[in-house]
Amino acid sequence: WETCWFKVELSIPQAWAGREVHFVWESDGEGMVWRDAQPVQGLTKEGEKTSYILTRSLKESEPHSLTLYVELACNGLFGAGKGSMIAPPDPDRRVTLSKAELVVFNRDVYELLVDLEILLDMAQLLGEENQRSFQALYTANQMVNMCDVTDPSTFPAAHDLAAAIFSQRNGESQHTIHAMGHCHIDSAWLWPYEETIRKCARSWVTVVHLMEHNPELTFACSQLGLIPVLWQAQQFEWVRSCYPGLYARIQDFVAKGQFIPVGGTWVEMDGNLPSGESMVRQFLQGQRFFQEQFGRLCSEFWLPDTFGYSAQLPQLMRGCGIQRFLTQKLSWNLVNSFPHHTFFWEGIDGSQVLTHFPPGDSYGMHGRVEEILKTVKNNKDKGRVNHSAFLFGFGDGGGGPTQKMLDRMKRMSNTDGLPRVQISTPDQLFSVLEKESSQLCTWVGELFLELHNGTYTTQAQIKKGNRECERILHDVEVLSSLAVAQDRGFQYPASQLQQLWRLLLLNQFHDVLPGSCIQLVVEDALQYYTEIRRAGAQLQEEAVQSLCRDLLQPKARSTPSTLVLNTLSWERTEVISRPGPEGTETLALVTVPSMGYALVQEPLVPPQPVAVRKQEDGSITMENGVIAVCLDTMGRLTSLQLLDSGRESVPDGCYANQFALFDDVPLYWDAWDVMDYHLETRKPVTTLLKPLEITLAGGLRGSVRFSLQVGKSSTLTQEIILDAACPYLRFLTQVKWKEAHKFLKVEFPVQVRSTNATYEIQFGHLQRPTHWNTSWDWARFEVWVHKWLDLSEHGFGVALLNDCKYGASAHRNILSLSL
């Protein structure tokens, strides 16, 4: 991830007067041309950008000698891996500069080549039944006959033949394609965050340069970086800080309506795993940035490349002033083809947003005839609407649109036999779709991606860090708000919280939180979580000191007491561990009001203490008057009873808390995917290292512990805890994981019958089927959940809770959590 600098001294021959002169640079590393201390052109061989235009017609008054600087990165468009596109960085990779030349560019020849490309594609792709294909073929033939490569004076007449074909107009009913430049740049993926800053600059300076010579070009720059239409706020902030001159030029084109900020969020976050509050903050921080920097809010939510979309998003969008949504990722579905490209999407509260999937199923088009025709042919809502988006430009690793893409589409703007192609904006597209929306269908619930189910579990430490930091920031804000309400002298830590939230939001980018990124990015993310934990703990302590200052002052001859805080919105009665004499810890049963605190001196006496008993066969029973459990020597639940009803939760002959190991060899991408056939490789974990033993014998708390060997070289230790008056059993699990291509889960078969299980999502819950009747059902063999999933029937149910996991499933009567 180093960069090298080249000083390039150029001297243009006087004989090239009146000619178009380019500086050509070809290497397998990304580059940036600097001139007069400003970035002027991004160079990326994979993105078809290998030259910088020095002059379009060399004049006597122009400098013939000049100095440029080229910053060359030791990575390509898709990182620094070996071989395939998706690969970890190769420490032995070398970058080669293969060409550095000063050349004369023949614009007439270039225009003829683009003419011939479009004509030949029309001839090949329109088919024999279409007379336009023959007209295009014969025109191309005439052009070849007319051209004399040794006589440039023959070129204009050949070009005129092509122009005559392209100028033959379409009928009024022809489908209209709204073309927008786009440049999808992943904020971190196969490269670290720091490299993304340079990728943004390389891509966006090229777009600005194109706009200066193509005033019709619009650019939507999404967080990822395919084409110039949209951006995420975080990437704007990076460019503003590191490339102020470029940022000022961008602001000028934003004011002209060419450079169009869309997206509305701080980063292109994962669409499933962030909490509801995190998603609100994504919109809050993003919309606030766009309002402050560009004087406008985004009206479109642009999220083209994340791995599914929560059913809560429509409500959150509407609450943040957004009524339009664009993505294309569901075209990646492995099982079912999504039935719409333009439709209303309805969330769990009934909120609706107008949604459009570009029918070309890509956010990185190149402006070719084949792509234009696919956009119309593939559109599943033909007849209902007559307009589609077409996002053109190199992406994922940046790059953006090229001059050739624009020149192709100019020839197809209104040509008989092809759909109309107009350079457009997101607002123009959605405005016309809104006018045509009377016959559109409605999709209710989540937009579930039938692929990449492994991202709910990959990189467990990132998942744990995200959940913990979401909780920490929640607690800091609750306690700081209470402190402000009680003590006007307390300074609410707004700026510190914004900084911490932005760090957390950055890590929710859709290749970081899902774990589909290189090790260097994981290390950065874990470091950010450490910083949030450290700073959050300090802010929390400051708020508590202000809120409870008087209570924390020791008083003479007073009974020792413990201050207990509850940052949740309901009263809680729980067993806590508090400091005892000489560094020991003691247990206490306490009741604390919602969003409040209690000073505990004399702990409560439980209605019934926890009883822990070891049986003759080595099994152990635990009971607290609310529930009773029986565990075998391997820590598996053979019985779980709700005592009031006498209802048994574990079916006869079954084991709950059963760990199971599966083979994990996906069809495509290791970090992203787990396939349905992994379920056929289930192997219960049964190798006991330490049998079940009692660690706390009862009273306020009973606990047992055991250890298992998992696979060839991993170990698992679990402590199972039952507290007094508590209606649930806790499992504290530690795994030392050393397996490759394996998938560990824990299963809970329950004696409950229901065709649907309930899963917590952002600010609500969602029901999914427990059967596999249809392909839509079995494609959800592995789904995402937040803090709980529940299987209930009338009058009785069992819930499985977690503090750091997201992958889960409920098939028939088995609740499963992916570890």
Side-chain angles (χ1 to χ4, degrees):
W1 309 112
E2 301 282 331
T3 61
C4 312
W5 285 84
F6 291 80
K7 182 179 180 181
V8 184
E9 295 179 339
L10 302 173
S11 181
I12 304 174
Q14 295 286 343
W16 289 4
R19 310 292 292 274
E20 182 171 341
V21 182
H22 292 195
F23 166 56
V24 172
W25 177 279
E26 288 187 15
S27 75
D28 46 6
E30 291 189 271
M32 172 83 92
V33 180
W34 291 72
R35 183 173 182 176
D36 301 326
Q38 291 296 326
V40 292
Q41 176 68 51
L43 299 169
T44 307
K45 190 173 182 179
E46 300 123 305
E48 297 181 4
K49 296 177 183 67
T50 56
S51 66
Y52 167 55
I53 301 175
L54 296 169
T55 175
R56 293 178 184 271
S57 179
L58 184 62
K59 298 179 179 62
E60 183 66 33
S61 59
E62 289 184 281
H64 285 50
S65 297
L66 65 154
T67 299
L68 304 175
Y69 291 87
V70 177
E71 181 189 19
L72 182 62
C74 297
N75 57 271
L77 201 60
F78 292 100
K82 179 188 292 185
S84 64
M85 183 185 83
I86 297 178
D90 176 13
D92 298 321
R93 175 171 172 147
R94 296 292 180 269
V95 174
T96 303
L97 172 61
S98 54
K99 184 181 290 187
E101 296 178 350
L102 199 60
V103 303
V104 170
F105 184 77
N106 193 318
R107 180 67 58 177
D108 289 337
V109 171
Y110 164 82
E111 297 290 352
L112 282 175
L113 290 173
V114 178
D115 288 340
L116 285 167
E117 177 194 313
I118 300 297
L119 289 170
L120 292 172
D121 281 351
M122 288 175 64
Q124 184 177 11
L125 298 169
L126 289 179
E128 292 187 4
E129 69 281 1
N130 192 325
Q131 68 169 359
R132 287 290 281 175
S133 66
F134 290 94
Q135 292 172 357
L137 179 63
Y138 283 114
T139 299
N141 188 61
Q142 285 180 278
M143 290 171 64
V144 172
N145 291 339
M146 183 173 290
C147 279
D148 181 351
V149 294
T150 64
D151 183 4
S153 67
T154 63
F155 297 170
H159 179 62
D160 290 343
L161 286 173
I165 279 280
F166 298 141
S167 64
Q168 292 174 346
R169 301 304 180 203
N170 261 313
E172 291 185 8
S173 66
Q174 194 56 270
H175 192 90
T176 300
I177 287 175
H178 293 249
M180 294 168 253
H182 190 252
C183 184
H184 188 67
I185 304 174
D186 284 316
S187 289
W189 177 31
L190 302 175
W191 49 88
Y193 286 123
E194 287 187 355
E195 181 58 29
T196 307
I197 300 172
R198 291 192 286 263
K199 281 180 173 287
C200 290
R202 288 191 287 262
S203 301
W204 295 351
V205 74
T206 302
V207 170
V208 167
H209 186 67
L210 278 174
M211 286 179 173
E212 289 169 347
H213 298 283
N214 299 272
E216 77 282 1
L217 172 61
T218 60
F219 178 80
C221 181
S222 78
Q223 154 106 29
L224 292 192
L226 252 205
I227 330 174
V229 178
L230 325 149
W231 294 345
Q232 304 290 309
Q234 174 68 81
Q235 294 186 352
F236 273 119
E237 176 63 21
W238 281 335
V239 171
R240 186 179 72 85
S241 301
C242 301
Y243 300 89
L246 170 59
Y247 189 75
R249 293 167 71 192
I250 288 170
Q251 286 183 306
D252 289 342
F253 283 104
V254 170
K256 293 176 183 177
Q258 287 181 259
F259 212 113
I260 306 164
V262 299
T265 51
W266 188 245
V267 298
E268 265 190 26
M269 74 279 194
D270 181 85
N272 299 323
L273 308 188
S275 69
E277 188 61 36
S278 289
M279 283 190 168
V280 169
R281 301 305 174 108
Q282 288 282 359
F283 284 107
L284 174 67
Q285 294 291 337
Q287 291 285 55
R288 179 181 289 168
F289 182 89
F290 291 127
Q291 180 68 54
E292 291 173 353
Q293 295 296 316
F294 305 112
R296 51 156 290 187
L297 297 175
C298 293
S299 58
E300 300 87 14
F301 181 35
W302 203 278
L303 194 61
D305 191 39
T306 195
F307 312 139
Y309 304 88
S310 167
Q312 182 57 278
L313 276 169
Q315 182 180 7
L316 297 182
M317 283 186 247
R318 295 296 295 253
C320 298
I322 293 174
Q323 302 181 36
R324 301 158 166 180
F325 175 51
L326 182 142
T327 186
Q328 60 80 48
K329 197 64 179 185
L330 262 66
S331 65
W332 286 49
N333 271 7
L334 203 58
V335 181
N336 299 285
S337 176
F338 194 79
H340 301 294
H341 281 101
T342 306
F343 58 98
F344 285 106
W345 180 23
E346 185 175 304
I348 60 175
D349 75 320
S351 297
Q352 291 189 347
V353 291
L354 179 59
T355 301
H356 182 69
F357 298 172
D361 293 341
S362 173
Y363 49 70
M365 297 294 200
H366 293 173
R368 299 183 182 277
V369 173
E370 181 179 12
E371 299 165 342
I372 298 292
L373 294 175
K374 179 184 177 182
T375 295
V376 178
K377 181 179 180 180
N378 202 40
N379 191 338
K380 294 185 172 73
D381 295 283
K382 291 189 289 284
R384 293 191 179 100
V385 291
N386 206 28
H387 296 260
S388 298
F390 185 90
L391 308 181
F392 64 95
F394 288 94
D396 289 338
T402 67
Q403 184 65 53
K404 182 175 280 190
M405 295 175 190
L406 282 168
D407 291 337
R408 287 170 181 147
M409 288 184 291
K410 286 175 184 176
R411 288 161 170 79
M412 294 184 281
S413 61
N414 193 358
T415 297
D416 187 25
L418 297 175
R420 281 196 189 86
V421 180
Q422 66 181 49
I423 301 296
S424 186
T425 67
D427 182 64
Q428 290 171 6
L429 167 68
F430 277 103
S431 293
V432 72
L433 290 177
E434 286 166 351
K435 292 176 183 177
E436 296 183 347
S437 65
S438 62
Q439 298 184 68
L440 290 179
C441 299
T442 299
W443 181 271
V444 179
E446 66 181 329
L447 296 174
F448 185 84
L449 178 65
E450 297 171 356
L451 193 65
H452 298 350
N453 318 59
T455 59
Y456 316 146
T457 306
T458 295
Q459 294 293 349
Q461 290 303 311
I462 283 184
K463 307 297 195 288
K464 185 178 179 70
N466 179 72
R467 184 79 63 81
E468 287 183 353
C469 290
E470 287 177 335
R471 177 187 58 77
I472 288 168
L473 293 181
H474 166 272
D475 289 355
V476 169
E477 291 186 333
V478 167
L479 295 169
S480 297
S481 299
L482 293 173
V484 167
Q486 179 170 295
D487 178 6
R488 293 191 177 183
F490 179 77
Q491 185 69 37
Y492 188 86
S495 60
Q496 298 100 307
L497 279 168
Q498 172 165 285
Q499 183 180 1
L500 296 179
W501 266 112
R502 286 184 171 184
L503 269 186
L504 179 59
L505 300 181
L506 178 61
N507 272 357
Q508 289 173 349
F509 178 72
H510 67 249
D511 276 312
V512 179
L513 180 53
S516 50
C517 52
I518 60 173
Q519 180 181 346
L520 192 58
V521 177
V522 172
E523 292 169 357
D524 284 345
L526 295 180
Q527 183 178 338
Y528 291 159
Y529 290 137
T530 299
E531 170 60 20
I532 294 169
R533 289 185 184 102
R534 184 201 61 77
Q538 181 178 337
L539 293 175
Q540 185 169 298
E541 178 64 22
E542 291 170 2
V544 170
Q545 290 292 336
S546 174
L547 180 64
C548 307
R549 184 181 298 113
D550 294 339
L551 299 174
L552 293 170
Q553 299 299 326
K555 294 181 175 59
R557 294 185 301 279
S558 63
T559 305
S561 58
T562 303
L563 178 68
V564 185
L565 294 144
N566 175 17
T567 56
L568 298 181
S569 54
W570 58 89
E571 181 182 87
R572 294 159 66 192
T573 299
E574 295 179 15
V575 175
I576 64 163
S577 177
R578 59 176 181 168
E582 299 178 2
T584 61
E585 289 197 343
T586 60
L587 300 176
L589 181 64
V590 301
T591 295
V592 186
S594 69
M595 296 286 186
Y597 54 83
L599 201 60
V600 178
Q601 294 178 339
E602 294 298 327
L604 302 174
V605 177
Q608 180 175 328
V610 179
V612 183
R613 301 181 183 91
K614 189 162 187 174
Q615 308 301 313
E616 290 183 3
D617 61 358
S619 64
I620 295 175
T621 61
M622 293 196 289
E623 184 178 330
N624 67 356
V626 182
I627 59 175
V629 303
C630 182
L631 299 143
D632 71 4
T633 56
M634 295 179 60
R636 300 177 300 188
L637 281 166
T638 57
S639 175
L640 171 60
Q641 286 190 354
L642 186 62
L643 293 175
D644 274 354
S645 66
R647 179 76 181 255
E648 173 60 60
S649 301
V650 181
D652 289 342
C654 294
Y655 300 104
N657 194 39
Q658 171 69 67
F659 293 93
L661 198 62
F662 300 80
D663 292 343
D664 180 25
V665 186
L667 288 175
Y668 303 111
W669 303 288
D670 245 358
W672 284 261
D673 292 338
V674 59
M675 298 298 162
D676 58 341
Y677 53 75
H678 86 282
L679 296 170
E680 301 173 12
T681 67
R682 178 182 180 274
K683 297 180 182 64
V685 177
T686 57
T687 305
L688 196 58
L689 294 179
K690 291 183 180 179
L692 191 70
E693 61 181 4
I694 297 173
T695 49
L696 281 177
L700 287 177
R701 173 172 292 170
S703 67
V704 295
R705 182 184 287 124
F706 66 95
S707 297
L708 300 173
Q709 180 172 325
V710 180
K712 291 184 178 179
S713 48
S714 300
T715 59
L716 180 152
T717 300
Q718 188 178 74
E719 185 177 13
I720 303 175
I721 298 170
L722 180 62
D723 284 342
C726 185
Y728 55 83
L729 199 58
R730 283 192 295 149
F731 303 84
L732 303 185
T733 313
Q734 287 191 322
V735 181
K736 293 184 178 178
W737 185 249
K738 298 180 181 179
E739 305 306 299
H741 295 106
K742 298 293 181 183
F743 195 179
L744 180 65
K745 303 184 184 185
V746 63
E747 300 168 344
F748 291 83
V750 295
Q751 204 153 281
V752 178
R753 181 170 176 79
S754 177
T755 56
N756 289 288
T758 306
Y759 300 78
E760 192 207 20
I761 66 170
Q762 298 85 355
F763 297 134
H765 60 265
L766 188 71
Q767 289 197 325
R768 299 183 178 111
T770 57
H771 56 75
W772 293 348
N773 281 1
T774 71
S775 59
W776 294 90
D777 298 332
W778 68 256
R780 299 187 211 190
F781 60 88
E782 176 82 3
V783 297
W784 62 273
V785 65
H786 281 194
K787 295 187 288 293
W788 55 264
L789 67 151
D790 163 87
L791 191 63
S792 290
E793 59 188 44
H794 179 70
F796 186 80
V798 179
L800 179 58
L801 293 79
N802 76 86
D803 67 355
C804 62
K805 297 299 172 184
Y806 295 93
S809 65
H811 184 225
R812 309 292 292 187
N813 68 324
I814 299 177
L815 302 178
S816 176
L817 192 65
S818 299
L819 306 181

